[in-house]
Each structure stands twice: as structure tokens, then as C-alpha cells.
Amino acid sequence: MRGGRSTVATRSSAKKRRPTRAVAKTANPSAAGTPAPVLVTIFDYVRFAAARLTRARVTVAHGTTDPVAEAAFLVGEAMHLHPDEVEPLAARRVPKAAGRRILGWIEQRIATRKPAAYLVNRMYMRGMAFYVDERVIVPRSFIGELLDSHFGGDDVLRLRDPATVTRVLDLCTGSGCLAILAARAFPNATVDAADLSADALTVAERNVQEHRLEDRIQLAQGDLFAAVSGKRYDLIISNPPYVDAQGMASLPHECLAEPRMAFDGGADGIDLVRRIIDGAKTHLASGGGLLCEVGRCKPAIEKAYPRADLLWLDTEESEGEVFWIDAATLADCAPARHPVGTA
């Protein structure tokens, strides 16, 4: 569903292994009478964990792209490694304590179907680590990539010169990850991060403190723009709830561990998106713009706002799931009118 994913690959080491090896025993062998796997290196554990996750048919949708990447993520956390370090260090031996931690997490992941990020209380976006728990959705927004790719030095892709952005609003901030990424992308900006959930803001506060951005990020509780009444911004970013009723009825088990309010976008998925588009008109400064993620709701958005000049942006892993609209265009953006007697 989301982006900013960690795509860690693994490969075997060319070095010869020592003839004597430790044998790691799992609490739940995959088949009766099957010998316990021989696990020594990071590569061994990633390969074993990926096979277990694949056989168990877990849903991978929380910051990793496949069972191998998820296995590498968990092994890396047990070894206190950044995801980018796992592959280069694949031949490193895993201490017994870390090995037990890995095997425990894998069995817990399969038994509970909780997202891996909740098991280790960590997820990465754009290389940065964030604390997460069940009070917030696991961060996986495509907006993080767009902050890097469309607000940099490339004049063709650039939506706005980052040096001129001084006021940013992150609506539905959750864990605060996008607000923190925005503070990194726009060094001259202060950021307001708003959410309706007090629990989510507690998590966001922890992340803001861990990244030492208390002087630049202000947290606000409230219902969308009500949390920042009267303020105007150069940039508004939002990754709001956008799952429609059909999608809510078929959420995978892993997603049920996350806050329902972080998903539920109403019958067609865009209840909050409509309010964001309509409210942004009075909260954007001249020359500003709205960057909003809507998942697969592009058809619903275009139906609701047929005359809106929306710029749909692609990322490495998405097509048309995030739109940009500038303040001048937004001022003329009106929702579709329905004939009397129609819904």
C-alpha cells in the first residue's frame, strides 16, 4: 500500500565456511522429522527466515517488498544493523543471543500476523529510523521519495525550490515520519504536524525528540485543519486514510493490527481527501501547493473533481497514487455538481 520501503537483498559469501558449525533449533520445526537447519551467518538466517515466511504465506505490506526483504529487516534489527548494511555483511557470524532473537521474531510474526515493524518497534523511511507501535500505522508513504525527487536541484522535476519553503503542514502525521522527512528536505522550514489521535501524537513526539527536531516541528491535535486554524503554509503534505469500504472489508490480517482510523476513508475512500482539498484553499500561501497520497483512489478523485488540474506523480514503486496541485489552481478547484435527486 505504501512506499519508502526497505528493499534489502542478500547474497551468499564467497568465503569458505569453517567445518564446525552451530546448529540452531527452532521452537516449531517446519516438518516432523526434518533436521534442524544449520545457521551460522547473516545469510543463513535470512535464507531460513525468508523460507519460513514464504511457507506461512504472511502478507508483506509494511515497508518491505517481499519475504526476503522482510527477513533481512528482522535479521538486521537483531544484529543492530541499518538495512543497507545487511547485504554487505551477509557473511558475518550471528551470535547465539541474536540468533535466538531472530528465530523468536520469525515465529511470532507467523503466529500473530503482526507487522514486523511492531515486533521490533522500528521502521525505516528514506534511510531514517522511526519508532513505531500499535498506536500508529506502520509508515510506508510514497511522499518521502517525492520530497527528495521533486523538491531538489532538478529543474525539470522540481515543484518548488526547497530553499523558499519556510512553512510546512503535515496532516494526519501519525508517527511523524513525513514531518521529520520534510524538516530534512526543507532546511529553512518550520513544520506543523497534526493528527486527530492523541496516541499517535505521543509516538510522533518520541520520534521528533529522537531526531532532535523539537525546535522545528510543532505537534497539534485536531480534526485536519481545525488543529491549525488561521495558519497558511508554503506546502501541505498528507497521507490520509484512503481505503474504501470494499477495501476495508478485505484488509489482510496484518493490517488489522494497525489503527482502523488510519485506513478508513469512507465509502469511496476519499471522505478525508475531499475535506483536505477543500480546506487547503484557505491554508496555502501564494505560490504554495498540496501534495496528497490517495492510493488507488485516482478514479474517485477525478470523478469528484472533474475540472481540477491535478498533477499525478509516479515513484519507483507507484503510478498515480500521489497528486500535486498548486495554490492558484486549487482556488478554482470545485467538486462535481450532481443533478437534483442524485447522490
Side-chain angles (χ1 to χ4, degrees):
M1 289 174 58
R2 307 280 208 260
R5 299 179 174 94
S6 171
T7 54
V8 181
T10 60
R11 62 187 177 196
S12 60
S13 170
K15 295 181 180 179
K16 293 182 178 179
R17 294 182 178 133
R18 297 180 182 179
T20 57
R21 299 172 127 196
V23 175
K25 298 181 179 179
T26 63
N28 298 303
S30 57
T34 301
V38 177
L39 305 176
V40 176
T41 67
I42 286 175
F43 174 76
D44 294 332
Y45 277 91
V46 170
R47 181 172 56 182
F48 170 77
R52 289 284 293 123
L53 295 173
T54 299
R55 286 196 298 272
R57 297 185 178 182
V58 300
T59 297
V60 178
H62 297 83
T64 55
T65 55
D66 52 62
V68 174
E70 181 142 316
F73 166 67
L74 289 172
V75 173
E77 286 302 295
M79 293 289 288
H80 306 292
L81 297 174
H82 187 278
D84 292 341
E85 298 176 306
V86 174
E87 181 179 356
L89 299 176
R92 176 176 288 185
R93 295 176 67 87
V94 176
K96 290 182 179 179
R100 288 192 295 270
R101 210 159 34 240
I102 294 166
L103 298 178
W105 282 339
I106 293 301
E107 297 310 318
Q108 190 178 357
R109 173 74 174 88
I110 292 169
T112 67
R113 300 286 158 160
K114 284 187 178 181
Y118 287 162
L119 302 182
V120 302
N121 295 125
R122 190 184 303 273
M123 183 44 67
Y124 294 83
M125 284 187 67
R126 309 305 293 169
M128 298 179 69
F130 298 97
Y131 173 87
V132 295
D133 60 30
E134 285 87 345
R135 291 173 291 181
V136 295
I137 193 172
V138 178
R140 47 193 185 271
S141 174
F142 297 120
I143 289 177
E145 178 183 333
L146 293 171
L147 292 178
D148 289 337
S149 63
H150 283 63
F151 293 89
D154 190 326
D155 292 334
V156 176
L157 296 177
R158 189 167 63 185
L159 298 172
R160 177 79 188 253
D161 183 348
T164 66
V165 176
T166 60
R167 294 161 296 177
V168 177
L169 171 62
D170 175 23
L171 285 176
C172 307
T173 192
S175 62
C177 56
L178 289 182
I180 291 168
L181 291 174
R184 182 183 69 170
F186 308 110
N188 300 323
T190 56
V191 181
D192 286 344
D195 205 289
L196 183 60
S197 168
D199 284 341
L201 290 173
T202 300
V203 176
E205 181 179 20
R206 174 170 178 166
N207 281 317
V208 169
Q209 291 174 349
E210 288 185 355
H211 288 277
R212 300 181 180 179
L213 289 168
E214 299 98 320
D215 60 332
R216 295 184 56 206
I217 298 178
Q218 179 69 43
L219 303 176
Q221 184 181 3
D223 186 7
L224 297 180
F225 293 105
V228 292
S229 180
K231 292 187 177 182
R232 288 185 177 268
Y233 301 90
D234 300 315
L235 175 65
I236 298 174
I237 60 177
S238 185
N239 182 21
Y242 54 67
V243 180
D244 61 22
Q246 183 178 1
M248 290 299 298
S250 58
L251 285 175
H253 197 284
E254 280 81 351
C255 292
L256 298 179
E258 300 177 274
R260 182 182 177 87
M261 67 179 294
F263 290 104
D264 194 350
D268 61 359
I270 62 171
D271 282 0
L272 271 76
V273 178
R274 287 188 184 91
R275 295 175 56 201
I276 290 169
I277 291 175
D278 297 340
K281 299 175 184 179
T282 57
H283 288 276
L284 279 174
S286 177
L290 167 65
L291 190 65
C292 185
E293 182 167 333
V294 297
R296 298 184 178 93
C297 293
K298 179 179 178 180
I301 293 288
E302 293 183 331
K303 180 180 179 181
Y305 296 89
R307 294 176 293 277
D309 187 14
L310 302 174
L311 176 62
W312 292 96
L313 305 175
D314 297 340
T315 69
E316 291 182 359
E317 298 176 13
S318 73
E319 293 183 5
E321 296 192 35
V322 181
F323 70 80
W324 163 267
I325 186 168
D326 60 50
T329 305
L330 190 61
D332 299 324
C333 179
R337 295 184 179 181
H338 299 285
V340 176
T342 64

